[in-house]
């Protein structure tokens, strides 16, 4: 790239940073404050942790679309993996210590995922954290040579990947006769959120693991 | 409204559901489900439009919380027009895609799931009244579009998808920074809450946010000089994908730019900024048309034509900014009519192009001889779509350009008239370049096969709709006015 | 100046660094990393500015969690595309575009 263009881009980016900084130092008082509203409605949300309440109830619609975004990324990797030059790449043989360790750790990670899912209602945790731990277990098993790469997912696996989104969609439209989309009756909010989160944990775990496993068999 | 059959939420839930189910069904499956579901979506969009005409714009509080704690959806005339366009383009294209992938299976495995998510993202984006929620819909739309560009595989599509992904991520990054600045200034991301708060003396952070969000949208809409990613992405994908991307995806970000300009950031707009957008639009018209003329591949010609036609959309900004209300209304009507007319016509053109490529077995304008004799309906559809793009009466493109010309003359901005006339002539030149070749007799050694009739008829339906829009566009303009009484 | 505002200022710097990297670095892996730096900058600004008055605000925190998941999805797709491009071209950079040079339909 030409030197003058590099200099110009660097100059513009620095200018942007300075302008942003100047703008941040000259902000007025907030016109609207949401923390109070979140606290006031927390009892009706079905969970005790304010971030979880925002994620799965007040702004649960964002989360619904975000789950679709995650699945979409995996579909993109699958689309590419149809054209990858070499499938069925066997897992590299791993060191026996790593294999033993992975065998020990994987069940514990599943347990941790379950714990994270459960405490999400009142402490930091929830479906995404739990799913990430599940996915890490999958990646670990693959690195230890104990799990094959996904060439193309079978129907059972596709169902598992889609389950979280389908459960979420079903719960979302189940609220329609009584109120609006994603409306949880306060009495049922708690179990409904747990149901959605349980489905999401499984599907997010599979999806995140799949992002790695679906391309793990490509030619190195 | 607590009706289980309320069309508004179903317009978003239905495509998400069938997109996911199509994935579960398996590679290449789900086409019939998609056609049925899109037909249902079309009925829902019509029902929603009817509700709006009867009782005005609607606000829908997802989860029952209401803004600013929850997320609001909002349906007004502009949103309803875009929803109708989306379903009206998607239905014939879904019929087309079933035939196309039967004849040319490359990339069919995941087409339906991607399309379901793409349509869900479009419908959700048109209905959203929450800046952060719009960010999520933008990312859903961007990743679905990038995935569709990549489904055919191969060096050129994967390169185009990579470049498109960086462009779309940078665009949504700029949008999200704008959202962060707005939340940091006012403490809300709801359009209904923010609109009364923003006035001419807004803090620097809000001006920066407006500039960043608009720049991100221009990049995603591929307005000149941000058009670099569009021709390889739209020109390299399978024909039904190119049609969806050119007809609908870039319109979504244009729609957001328009909404921000006319509503949220209206107190901050200046004549100079509006003229700059108009100049970029004019440059896009001229540059895109000239490059379209120089292409040797048919799909690339049509893709560059999209670069040019995007330019017309942005002529609306100088014509609707700080001018008398009547002039602004007719400019808005013209710009939206152009978006609808181009959506229908470009979908028809890419569909017809795909049929010609299937028939001749190659994407080469100089080898089109014999197409006129063998695929007359397809070529006729291409020509009708060309009539709309040129802006000849009685097409929808004519109505659009007529409204834009009218407001240009009323506001004394004659230079846009010159741009539109030159652009129309250049459009005619590249459309006739294709037609002339296609009417020549078949060259020795070339083959022109027949294509399935669904391919021909679905392209024709789209082209015909783009013409009929000019004759029966009045109800659409009536719908557009819902929620816009100033 | 509150600590939260300091985070936001750091976020502004990160955004600018990420933007420059995305535009200037030709290597795809560096571009993808630059996009992540840019995204982290935005997340810091969102949380930092949202809490500049000293109250803890769960709404931007939840938005950032959503944003992180979207960024993971985008990064994964970008890495898969980059890796496929390496497979197809032998290079970790975007080739010069000459779409006319090779027909897409063969």
């Amino acid at each position: 790239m030409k030197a003058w263009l590099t200099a110009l881009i660097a100059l513009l980016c620095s200018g942007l940073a300075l302008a942003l900084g100047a703008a941040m130092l000259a902000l007025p008082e907030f016109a609207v404050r949401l923390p109070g509203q979140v606290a006031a409605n927390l009892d009706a949300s079905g969970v005790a942790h304010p971030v979880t309440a925002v994620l799965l109830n007040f702004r649960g619609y964002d989360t619904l679309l975000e789950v679709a975004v995650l699945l979409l990324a995996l579909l993109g990797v699958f689309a590419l993996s149809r054209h990858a030059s070499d499938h069925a790449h066997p897992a590299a043989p791993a060191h026996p210590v790593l294999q033993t360790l992975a065998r020990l750790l994987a069940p514990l990670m599943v347990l941790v995922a379950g714990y994270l899912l459960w405490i999400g209602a009142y402490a930091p945790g929830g479906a995404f954290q739990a799913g990430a731990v599940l996915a890490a277990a999958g990646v670990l098993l693959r690195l230890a040579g104990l799990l094959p790469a996904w060439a193309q997912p079978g129907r059972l696996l596709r169902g598992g990947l889609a389950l979280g989104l389908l459960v979420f969609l079903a719960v979302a439209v189940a609220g329609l006769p009584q109120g609006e989309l994603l409306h949880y009756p306060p009495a049922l909010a708690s179990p409904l959120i747990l149901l959605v989160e349980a489905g999401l944990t499984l599907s997010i775990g599979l999806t995140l693991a799949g992002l790695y496993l679906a391309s793990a068999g490509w030619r190195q | 409204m607590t009706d289980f059959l309320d069309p508004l939420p179903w317009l978003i839930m239905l495509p998400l559901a069938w997109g996911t189910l199509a994935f579960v069904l398996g590679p290449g499956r789900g086409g019939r489900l998609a056609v049925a579901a899109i037909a249902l979506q079309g009925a829902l969009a019509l029902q929603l439009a009817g509700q709006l005409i009867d009782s005005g714009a609607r606000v829908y509080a997802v989860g029952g919380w209401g803004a600013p704690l929850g997320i609001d959806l909002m349906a007004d005339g502009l949103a309803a027009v875009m929803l109708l366009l989306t379903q009206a383009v998607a239905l014939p294209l879904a019929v087309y895609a079933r035939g196309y992938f039967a004849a040319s299976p490359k990339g069919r495995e995941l087409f339906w799931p991607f399309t379901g998510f793409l349509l869900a993202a479009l419908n959700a984006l048109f209905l959203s009244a929450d800046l952060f929620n719009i960010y999520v819909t933008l990312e859903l739309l961007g990743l679905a579009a990038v995935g569709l560009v990549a489904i055919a595989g191969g060096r050129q599509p994967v390169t185009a998808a990579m470049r498109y992904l960086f462009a779309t991520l940078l665009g949504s990054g700029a949008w999200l920074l704008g959202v962060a600045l707005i939340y940091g200034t006012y403490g809300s991301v709801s359009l209904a809450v923010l609109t009364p708060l923003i006035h001419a003396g807004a803090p620097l952070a809000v001006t920066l946010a407006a500039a960043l969000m608009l720049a991100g949208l221009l990049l995603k809409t591929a307005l000149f000089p941000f058009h670099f990613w569009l021709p390889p992405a739209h020109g390299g994908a399978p024909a039904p994908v190119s049609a969806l991307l050119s007809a609908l995806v870039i319109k979504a970000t244009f729609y957001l730019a328009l909404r921000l300009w006319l509503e949220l950031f209206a107190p901050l707009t200046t004549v100079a900024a509006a003229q700059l957008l108009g100049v970029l639009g004019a440059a896009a018209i001229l540059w895109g048309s000239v490059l379209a003329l120089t292409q040797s591949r048919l799909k690339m010609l049509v893709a560059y034509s999209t670069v040019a036609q995007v330019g017309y959309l942005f002529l609306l900004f100088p014509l609707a900014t700080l001018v008398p209300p009547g002039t602004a209304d007719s400019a808005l009507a013209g710009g939206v009519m152009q978006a609808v007319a181009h959506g229908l016509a470009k979908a028809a053109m890419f569909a017809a192009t795909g049929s010609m490529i299937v028939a001749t077995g190659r994407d080469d304008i100089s080898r089109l001889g014999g197409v006129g004799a063998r695929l007359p309906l397809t070529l006729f559809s291409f020509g009708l779509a060309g009539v709309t793009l040129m802006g000849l009466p009685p097409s929808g493109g004519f109505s659009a350009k007529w409204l834009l010309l009218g407001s240009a003359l009323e506001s004394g901005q004659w230079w846009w008239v010159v741009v539109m006339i030159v652009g129309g002539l250049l459009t005619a030149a590249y459309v006739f370049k294709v037609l002339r070749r296609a009417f020549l007799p078949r060259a020795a050694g070339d083959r022109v096969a027949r294509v399935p009739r669904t391919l021909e008829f679905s392209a024709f339906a789209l082209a015909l709709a783009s013409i009929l829009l000019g004759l029966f566009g009045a109800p659409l303009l009536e719908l557009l006015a819902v929620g816009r009484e100033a | 100046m509150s600590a939260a505002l300091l985070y936001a200022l750091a976020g502004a710097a990160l955004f600018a660094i990420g933007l420059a990297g995305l535009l200037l670095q030709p290597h795809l892996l560096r571009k993808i990393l630059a996009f992540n730096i840019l995204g982290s900058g935005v997340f810091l600004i969102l949380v930092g500015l949202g809490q500049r008055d000293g109250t803890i605000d769960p709404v931007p925190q939840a938005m950032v969690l959503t944003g992180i998941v979207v960024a993971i999805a985008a990064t994964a797709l970008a890495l898969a595309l980059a890796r496929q491009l390496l497979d197809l071209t032998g290079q970790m950079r975007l080739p010069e575009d000459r779409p006319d040079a090779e027909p897409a339909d063969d």
Side-chain angles (χ1 to χ4, degrees):
Chain A
M1 197 175 286
K2 293 188 188 71
W4 67 267
L5 194 59
T6 309
L8 182 70
I9 291 176
L11 199 68
L12 287 177
C13 290
S14 324
L16 178 64
L18 289 178
L20 286 171
M24 288 173 189
L25 294 173
L27 289 176
E29 290 279 296
F30 283 113
V32 183
R33 265 336 247 148
L34 293 182
Q37 295 196 32
V38 173
N41 289 286
L42 201 55
D43 286 342
S45 74
V47 289
H49 195 265
V51 176
T52 308
V54 175
L55 268 181
L56 281 144
N57 200 333
F58 306 137
R59 296 187 69 91
Y61 175 54
D62 277 342
T63 307
L64 175 69
L65 294 180
E66 159 209 350
V67 174
V69 172
L70 199 58
L71 185 58
L72 201 48
L74 185 63
L75 291 185
V77 178
F78 282 148
L80 290 171
S81 120
R82 297 209 148 258
H83 308 288
S85 39
D86 184 9
H87 286 308
H89 193 81
H95 197 276
V97 173
L98 177 61
Q99 291 205 340
T100 312
L101 200 63
R103 277 185 224 270
L104 272 173
L105 278 178
L108 284 175
M109 290 168 94
V110 174
L111 199 64
V112 169
Y115 171 72
L116 283 173
L117 167 66
W118 182 254
I119 63 158
Y122 53 87
F128 287 92
Q129 290 81 341
V133 174
L134 274 188
V139 173
L140 181 67
L141 288 175
R142 163 72 192 173
L143 289 177
L146 298 170
L147 208 63
W150 297 358
Q152 288 298 324
R155 177 163 296 195
L156 188 64
L157 189 49
R158 292 197 302 268
L161 289 165
L163 181 75
L165 184 54
L166 289 175
V167 168
F168 208 157
L169 285 172
V171 170
V173 298
L176 283 176
Q178 290 89 39
E180 293 82 2
L181 186 71
L182 273 167
H183 173 82
Y184 308 124
L188 288 177
S190 211
L192 281 177
I193 288 179
L194 189 63
L195 174 69
V196 168
E197 289 217 275
L200 286 184
T201 301
L202 177 73
S203 292
I204 290 169
L206 285 174
T207 308
L208 289 176
L211 290 173
Y212 175 75
L213 291 171
S215 63
W218 295 2
R219 190 175 63 191
Q220 308 285 317
Chain B
M1 185 168 307
T2 59
D3 184 359
F4 184 65
L5 295 176
D6 185 355
L8 201 152
W10 282 107
L11 275 168
I12 302 163
M13 293 297 114
L14 197 58
L16 272 181
W18 69 254
T20 314
L21 286 177
F23 168 65
V24 178
L25 282 176
R29 307 276 297 277
R32 204 170 305 171
L33 173 69
V35 172
I38 295 173
L40 194 55
Q41 285 163 227
L44 292 171
L46 278 173
Q47 193 194 347
L48 180 65
Q51 289 178 355
L52 296 185
I53 287 187
D54 289 343
S55 44
R58 281 186 61 189
V59 175
Y60 186 97
V62 180
W65 300 105
L69 179 61
I71 298 171
D72 275 356
L73 304 181
M74 197 271 294
D76 65 357
L78 181 57
V81 169
M82 299 307 290
L83 288 170
L84 284 174
L85 169 68
T86 302
Q87 326 311 318
V89 167
L91 183 59
L93 279 182
V95 174
Y96 177 87
R98 291 192 69 205
Y100 180 88
F101 285 116
S104 166
K106 213 171 163 187
R108 67 192 277 266
E109 290 89 356
L110 288 165
F111 175 80
W112 296 110
F114 276 124
T115 303
F117 285 133
L118 185 89
L119 293 176
L122 286 166
N123 290 351
L125 184 151
F126 294 137
L127 288 169
S128 186
D130 181 289
L131 290 176
F132 185 80
N133 182 248
I134 293 176
Y135 163 75
V136 183
T137 65
L138 277 174
E139 292 288 27
L140 191 61
L141 184 65
L143 291 198
V146 169
L148 280 170
V149 169
I151 51 173
R155 182 168 187 255
Q156 200 270 332
V158 171
T159 308
M162 185 87 245
R163 190 166 275 137
Y164 185 15
L165 181 62
F166 281 129
T168 189
L169 288 180
L170 184 55
S172 15
W175 174 276
L176 189 60
L177 178 56
V179 175
L181 289 173
I182 300 242
Y183 189 88
T185 307
Y186 297 112
S188 173
V189 285
S190 150
L191 287 176
V193 171
L194 291 169
T195 306
L197 291 174
I198 295 181
H199 47 80
L204 174 63
V206 179
T207 317
L208 270 177
L212 282 163
M213 292 162 94
L214 198 60
L217 292 175
L218 298 187
L219 177 61
K220 282 170 168 275
T221 317
L223 177 65
F224 180 91
F226 301 125
H227 64 282
F228 58 93
W229 59 264
L230 186 143
H234 291 198
V241 172
S242 313
L244 281 171
L245 298 182
S246 256
L248 300 177
V249 174
I250 50 170
K251 302 299 183 327
T253 40
F254 164 73
Y255 163 88
L256 287 179
L258 187 60
R259 260 214 192 289
L260 290 189
W261 188 271
L262 294 178
E263 291 162 17
L264 186 63
F265 295 132
L268 307 176
T269 55
T270 62
V271 171
Q275 290 288 327
L276 176 65
L277 286 178
V279 168
L280 294 181
I285 294 173
L286 302 177
W287 182 246
S289 303
V290 168
L291 279 179
L293 257 178
T294 63
Q295 297 303 310
S296 57
R297 284 182 49 204
L298 184 54
K299 251 200 247 167
M300 289 304 282
L301 180 147
V302 183
Y304 272 107
S305 152
T306 297
V307 173
Q309 294 287 323
V310 163
Y312 284 102
L313 299 173
F314 283 87
L315 294 187
L316 137 63
F317 290 88
L319 297 176
T321 305
L322 303 174
V323 295
T327 312
D329 286 348
S330 109
L332 175 66
V336 173
M337 191 63 115
Q338 164 70 14
V340 176
H342 175 255
L344 293 166
K346 191 50 64 74
M349 207 174 238
F350 264 122
T353 298
S355 307
M356 292 187 218
I357 292 172
V358 167
T360 59
R362 49 166 54 96
D363 181 4
D364 187 346
I365 297 172
S366 64
R367 309 294 277 274
L368 283 177
V371 164
R374 188 57 75 90
L375 302 174
L377 188 59
T378 291
L379 196 63
F380 184 52
S381 311
F382 190 95
L384 282 182
V387 165
T388 300
L389 296 188
M390 285 178 237
L392 295 182
S395 68
F398 171 74
S399 315
K401 274 146 208 166
W402 184 254
L403 288 160
L404 288 172
L405 282 174
S407 48
L409 292 175
E410 273 175 46
S411 56
Q413 305 183 53
W414 52 267
W415 48 93
W416 307 125
V417 179
V418 179
V419 171
M420 277 187 261
I421 292 173
V422 174
L425 290 175
L426 286 169
T427 311
Y430 65 70
V431 170
F432 279 111
K433 175 180 166 176
V434 174
L435 293 181
R436 191 181 70 86
R437 282 288 177 180
F439 277 120
L440 292 177
R442 186 162 58 90
D446 283 1
R447 68 175 187 96
V448 182
R450 291 210 178 280
V451 299
R453 307 192 72 170
T454 50
L455 294 191
E456 299 223 70
F457 279 105
S458 45
F460 178 67
L462 285 163
L464 191 66
S466 78
I467 299 287
L468 292 179
L469 177 69
L471 297 171
F472 305 105
L476 211 59
L477 294 182
E478 189 195 334
L479 177 61
L480 178 63
V482 172
R484 199 152 283 290
E485 52 287 339
Chain C
M1 188 165 60
S2 66
L5 197 56
L6 206 60
Y7 286 121
L9 289 172
L14 282 182
F15 182 88
I17 292 169
L19 178 63
L22 192 56
L23 297 175
L24 292 175
Q25 295 286 347
H27 195 281
L28 289 176
L29 203 53
R30 289 181 178 220
K31 270 191 196 294
I32 295 168
L33 286 174
F35 158 71
N36 275 278
I37 292 172
L38 178 153
S40 304
V42 179
F43 298 153
L44 273 178
I45 295 174
L46 192 53
V47 173
L49 282 190
Q51 302 182 156
R52 67 191 155 91
D53 63 354
T55 39
I56 293 167
D57 188 348
V59 174
Q61 296 191 17
M63 286 176 183
V64 166
L65 284 177
T66 303
I68 287 173
V69 175
V70 170
I72 289 171
T75 305
L77 184 59
L79 285 172
L81 280 168
R83 201 162 147 207
Q84 183 117 91
L85 214 55
L86 177 67
D87 237 19
L88 291 166
T89 66
Q91 285 196 325
M92 268 304 245
R93 55 192 63 213
L94 285 168
E96 286 303 307
D97 240 5
R98 245 167 308 168
D100 271 341
E102 50 155 354
D105 295 71
D106 38 296

